[in-house]
Amino acid sequence: MILELKNLQKEYKINREQKFKALRGISLTFQGGELISIIGESGSGKSTLMNLLGGLDNDYQGEILLDGHNIHQYKEKELDKYRKNNIGFVFQSFNLIPHLTILDN
């Protein structure tokens, strides 16, 4: 599997006139089997990048390609399959569902 980012950009609307640029033209290539760490200061865009890579946010510019296929064009079921089979990350706060067992979570 090869995951490639091409000119990835993400803005958040602050108010009617202002936008905050969280990601500005990120281009990277990840090869299968690599272990990647994303580090940086608070507010540097780490969580934003992970949300985009994980298919949790689709409001961005640029391309996220999995083996040459643009995930921005995936339908919901394709995104579910992508998240299930290709991408995984551990949340900083574990986001466990209290009424489920560890195994079910």
Side-chain angles (χ1 to χ4, degrees):
M1 171 186 83
I2 297 175
L3 186 65
E4 186 175 2
L5 314 180
K6 291 186 176 180
N7 196 30
L8 198 59
Q9 300 175 57
K10 170 71 179 176
E11 292 182 341
Y12 292 101
K13 191 174 184 178
I14 296 172
N15 56 40
R16 291 183 198 192
E17 297 85 31
Q18 292 182 309
K19 294 180 182 178
F20 172 74
K21 292 184 180 187
L23 300 177
R24 301 175 187 202
I26 305 292
S27 295
L28 296 167
T29 301
F30 304 103
Q31 300 294 327
E34 286 185 320
L35 178 63
I36 305 297
S37 294
I38 300 172
I39 58 174
E41 297 178 12
S42 179
S44 64
K46 300 178 303 292
S47 294
T48 296
L49 179 60
M50 292 306 298
N51 285 333
L52 297 180
L53 291 178
L56 302 175
D57 183 351
N58 65 1
D59 181 21
Y60 63 89
Q61 295 79 46
E63 297 178 301
I64 300 173
L65 305 170
L66 176 67
D67 291 330
H69 297 98
N70 190 344
I71 73 163
H72 206 210
Q73 298 172 347
Y74 283 3
K75 292 180 175 38
E76 194 60 38
K77 285 189 179 190
E78 293 171 306
L79 271 175
D80 290 343
K81 186 177 175 184
Y82 164 76
R83 288 189 286 264
K84 178 181 174 188
N85 297 322
N86 300 108
I87 293 293
F89 54 93
V90 178
F91 292 94
Q92 185 172 354
S93 56
F94 300 107
N95 295 325
L96 298 177
I97 301 169
H99 68 274
L100 296 178
T101 67
I102 291 173
L103 183 60
D104 290 336
N105 266 284

